[in-house]
Amino acid sequence: MDQGFRIYDRCRGEDCLKPKGIQWARLRLRGQDAIPESCLADRAKDGGCPPEATDEAYVDVFNTHLQATGPLLCNDGVDASAFLLELCAGNALIPPGLCESLSPIAKGLASSCNVVSDEEVRQSQLEQLREFVASVVDEGSDQPAILGGDYNIDGRTLTIAEEEYAGMLDDVLGRDLETTDDLISTAPEAFSWDIDHSDLAREEPQYDWERCGHGTSHGTELQIGQNPFADGSFPSALDPDCPAWECDVAGDEAHERLDYLFVRPPAAREDGDPPGYFLARTLDAAPLWLPLWPTDAPDGDRSHLCAQAATEEEGIPSDFPRISDHRPIVTELEFLTLRHPGRFHPAWNHTVRSRVTSVTLTNEPDCFLDLCGPRDPFVEFEGWATDAGTGLPVPSPGIRALASCDNRDAGSLVAADNECMDPWFLTQRAPAGAYTQHSVTWRLFDSDTGFDDEIVTIDGTYHPRLQVNWDTSMFEVYADGEVPETARYEAGLRTSDPLRWCSSIQSPSFCVETSLEEQR
């Protein structure tokens, strides 16, 4: 559906020679009732083509690679120019003479090693990741997201790099708790299908993440189903009572967990209802987090999961080639729908229906010193559309004064309890492609003998105006008279929920609900 990327601003050592950053893809997910491709091609509405769930059924996927720890170029005594030439040696993709010309750059990279630490670079990159995710995922998004990649932060246990791990969780989840608590479920351990932890590795409790954990890096010696060292000893970072899992290997670097898969849940809804979509476990009993070994050996041979090298010198058969120094993290998730997705499609005909749901008039006098008696509120609509061909406004259907709710002493009126508010709505037709936007304004009055008093609900003389922007697929609410850049509220048309907003947070005010309906 969409995609993008961002290159990180900061780096250290030879990492500055790599364009590390963030990749993003928005993946449309379709169920069995997905609309056929032929229907999408001609936007047909007949011939048995079903309505398609709109761009609402999707998941955002992010991938990143953060600053490595201990870049070789930053080691004491390293000759930067010689180091760069060694990196270039034998690389047929690098033109002859290029590395020699880059020698001054290598020296500059080496001199910057003492300016910033690896941890500080990663912190800066995580802040950029957080900003990028926030720019892509709507603040009130009803869809989950997945973030993965090589974060170069050791999470083998929750205490090895506790502070940096906690900061990573905050930036991934868009929060500021500064703890290693990653619970995203409102009812942890209550349901077998629910995902409790954002860090999917922690959904596998057998690894005891407080004390033992499980790594995602390769090691220097192959040990299948045995203790990491032949004599039964363990690296100092691990408890000697930790079990040895299949494919655990020797060497300190083998015990690092640098690669992650995170689930970022949908935003909490203001009305307290559950989100429309979320990710859950599949119905089978497969592990939710599985760190396999990266080889392209035959699938039927389980020994390839632990093969570690592709050279005969190291004693590993050449038919078990290793293709990475990190294990790939494998998961299988289910995208669940808790409500019917919206049916907005820019090439289909719709109606736009706006209705007043409540009015608040607390402490609002009725004309001068309440001499006119109880309040008699009514609403006046004015609707129009912008013609796609000429760009001129077209009344739709023009000004419409609605029946008043007479003799209302109560400070608040709710449509569900007051039949007099039933006509307080406006319906506009939106033929596909005919208009670039539809707009409607509301004005609240108190009906009196002689002159009707307008009740101002926004500071100054502005009136609330809602605009359905078909070009950008957005609801936009303005104080009429202000420039578009000062929109008070925005929401995407992809949601099937009606847009609800109020002209003010204090009396006097009124609240409006606007919905899109597909014309069949």
Side-chain angles (χ1 to χ4, degrees):
M1 294 174 61
D2 205 349
Q3 60 184 341
F5 70 93
R6 180 173 179 178
I7 303 299
Y8 290 131
D9 294 337
R10 303 189 74 181
C11 57
R12 186 170 184 263
E14 62 266 23
D15 262 23
C16 295
L17 300 173
K18 311 165 187 175
K20 288 189 172 181
I22 315 155
Q23 297 169 312
W24 161 64
R26 176 165 291 176
L27 306 179
R28 177 185 286 113
L29 303 176
R30 295 183 178 178
Q32 294 180 350
D33 59 346
I35 189 168
E37 291 295 332
S38 59
C39 294
L40 286 176
D42 58 10
R43 316 299 187 196
K45 293 298 294 174
D46 52 12
C49 291
E52 182 196 16
T54 68
D55 293 345
E56 179 175 337
Y58 67 82
V59 61
D60 286 312
V61 180
F62 300 87
N63 177 51
T64 190
H65 192 182
L66 302 186
Q67 170 71 40
T69 299
L72 299 178
L73 192 58
C74 294
N75 290 345
D76 292 337
V78 172
D79 185 314
S81 298
F83 177 82
L84 186 60
L85 290 175
E86 184 178 348
L87 286 179
C88 295
N91 193 327
L93 297 178
I94 301 178
L98 176 61
C99 285
E100 290 82 351
S101 65
L102 294 178
S103 178
I105 297 178
K107 293 179 180 179
L109 296 178
S111 65
S112 68
C113 290
N114 297 325
V115 176
V116 65
S117 68
D118 298 326
E119 291 79 6
E120 289 171 332
V121 172
R122 284 195 291 268
Q123 180 180 356
S124 171
Q125 292 172 341
L126 283 169
E127 290 170 357
Q128 288 185 270
L129 172 66
R130 181 173 185 161
E131 292 172 0
F132 183 81
V133 172
S135 70
V136 169
V137 177
D138 293 337
E139 184 177 349
S141 175
D142 215 18
Q143 292 78 14
I146 299 173
L147 292 90
D150 179 358
Y151 286 72
N152 274 311
I153 296 172
D154 190 3
R156 171 73 186 232
T157 69
L158 303 184
T159 56
I160 291 177
E162 182 174 355
E163 183 176 345
E164 199 171 7
Y165 177 83
M168 174 176 62
L169 287 178
D170 280 352
D171 289 318
V172 163
L173 295 173
R175 65 181 198 185
D176 295 293
L177 297 181
E178 299 182 359
T179 73
T180 59
D181 179 8
D182 72 331
L183 286 178
I184 56 174
S185 172
T186 57
E189 301 183 6
F191 306 101
S192 60
W193 45 264
D194 196 12
I195 296 176
D196 297 333
H197 295 275
S198 173
D199 182 355
L200 290 184
R202 294 170 66 176
E203 288 291 291
E204 303 298 328
Q206 70 271 23
Y207 296 125
D208 189 356
W209 297 105
E210 294 288 341
R211 198 169 54 90
C212 302
H214 199 306
T216 61
S217 301
H218 73 84
T220 56
E221 297 178 23
L222 180 61
Q223 303 284 340
I224 303 179
Q226 303 174 12
N227 289 333
F229 293 130
D231 62 1
S233 63
F234 283 76
S236 59
L238 297 180
D239 190 306
D241 294 327
C242 290
W245 300 99
E246 182 181 27
C247 300
D248 263 352
V249 293
D252 288 345
E253 74 275 10
H255 295 280
E256 293 179 325
R257 182 166 75 98
L258 307 177
D259 308 279
Y260 296 86
L261 279 175
F262 297 102
V263 168
R264 178 176 168 132
R269 294 172 61 97
E270 293 182 359
D271 55 13
D273 288 344
Y277 308 92
F278 70 101
L279 294 169
R281 292 173 174 267
T282 57
L283 295 180
D284 58 32
L288 199 62
W289 181 84
L290 188 63
L292 299 179
W293 274 83
T295 78
D296 57 4
D299 291 337
D301 192 337
R302 243 195 100 66
S303 62
H304 81 278
L305 297 179
C306 301
Q308 65 155 3
T311 61
E312 297 289 349
E313 301 89 81
E314 293 177 332
I316 305 299
S318 60
D319 57 346
F320 293 118
R322 188 185 71 200
I323 57 177
S324 174
D325 61 345
H326 288 243
R327 307 186 192 196
I329 308 303
V330 179
T331 190
E332 186 174 351
L333 305 172
E334 184 122 1
F335 184 78
L336 300 184
T337 301
L338 294 186
R339 60 179 171 80
H340 294 296
R343 300 189 177 190
F344 166 72
H345 193 295
W348 293 357
N349 298 332
H350 291 78
T351 57
V352 183
R353 189 173 190 270
S354 301
R355 60 186 295 267
V356 177
T357 57
S358 65
V359 173
T360 302
L361 298 172
T362 305
N363 300 323
E364 182 67 19
D366 187 14
C367 72
F368 182 69
L369 298 178
D370 277 342
L371 296 178
C372 300
R375 290 173 293 270
D376 312 299
F378 70 93
V379 174
E380 188 174 272
F381 287 87
E382 181 178 3
W384 68 95
T386 302
D387 185 87
T390 64
L392 299 176
V394 179
S396 171
I399 297 176
R400 176 183 178 188
L402 304 172
S404 62
C405 290
D406 298 332
N407 300 320
R408 301 292 164 161
D409 283 324
S412 179
L413 285 76
V414 180
D417 302 325
N418 292 273
E419 293 183 1
C420 59
M421 294 177 65
D422 288 350
W424 291 14
F425 71 89
L426 179 69
T427 299
Q428 299 168 282
R429 293 184 63 253
Y435 304 108
T436 59
Q437 61 191 34
H438 278 74
S439 298
V440 61
T441 60
W442 296 264
R443 299 173 68 183
L444 180 63
F445 292 87
D446 178 25
S447 177
D448 289 320
T449 302
F451 296 99
D452 294 328
D453 299 326
E454 180 172 1
I455 301 173
V456 178
T457 58
I458 296 181
D459 294 340
T461 58
Y462 294 122
H463 308 296
R465 172 171 59 88
L466 180 136
Q467 180 173 285
V468 180
N469 192 325
W470 302 107
D471 286 341
T472 61
S473 300
M474 295 290 290
F475 283 119
E476 301 161 343
V477 178
Y478 305 106
D480 197 28
E482 296 183 8
V483 295
E485 286 73 18
T486 58
R488 302 289 183 94
Y489 184 94
E490 291 184 335
L493 300 184
R494 63 176 172 269
T495 177
S496 60
D497 289 339
L499 170 73
R500 300 179 178 91
W501 63 276
C502 298
S503 61
S504 175
I505 60 174
Q506 56 188 354
S507 180
S509 69
F510 60 90
C511 297
V512 176
E513 176 181 279
T514 302
S515 59
L516 297 180
E517 298 177 3
E518 174 198 343
Q519 289 184 343
R520 304 224 174 186

